[in-house]
Amino acid sequence: TPTGVELFIVDGSSTLLGETLVGPSGSLRNFQFTRTLNAGDSVYFGVGPNGNYNNDSTGFNVVITDIPEPGTVAMVVAGLALTLVARRRRA
């Protein structure tokens, strides 16, 4: 059984998640959050032994998804509409 692993996620100076994970071997901890980042911003992910290295083996997967801003989506839709109008006029 893990003796406890510290998990933390930090965005600049804000801690988004910080907790000690304990549980049976092979247990999973899922989390999800939404964060708006600007160009050049950093998010740091880390794990630590919580002072005891016995039986601690921790891996993690991170998935970061880019969500377009509403203005970007509107410009794409407008561009497609104008393209369709131009193609109809040529036909």
Side-chain angles (χ1 to χ4, degrees):
T1 304
T3 56
V5 175
E6 293 177 329
L7 168 68
F8 60 93
I9 303 172
V10 179
D11 171 14
S13 61
S14 302
T15 300
L16 303 176
L17 179 71
E19 63 183 70
T20 300
L21 307 176
V22 294
S25 180
S27 60
L28 299 175
R29 166 66 166 90
N30 295 313
F31 56 90
Q32 178 178 338
F33 61 90
T34 301
R35 192 70 169 186
T36 302
L37 301 173
N38 298 312
D41 286 353
S42 298
V43 177
Y44 302 94
F45 301 86
V47 293
N50 195 21
N52 187 335
Y53 294 96
N54 295 329
N55 300 316
D56 287 340
S57 177
T58 304
F60 62 93
N61 295 321
V62 176
V63 177
I64 299 175
T65 306
D66 183 21
I67 301 172
E69 295 181 13
T72 303
V73 174
M75 285 182 13
V76 169
V77 170
L80 289 172
L82 289 173
T83 302
L84 291 173
V85 169
R87 291 187 82 191
R88 277 199 155 179
R89 287 187 180 174
R90 288 185 186 169

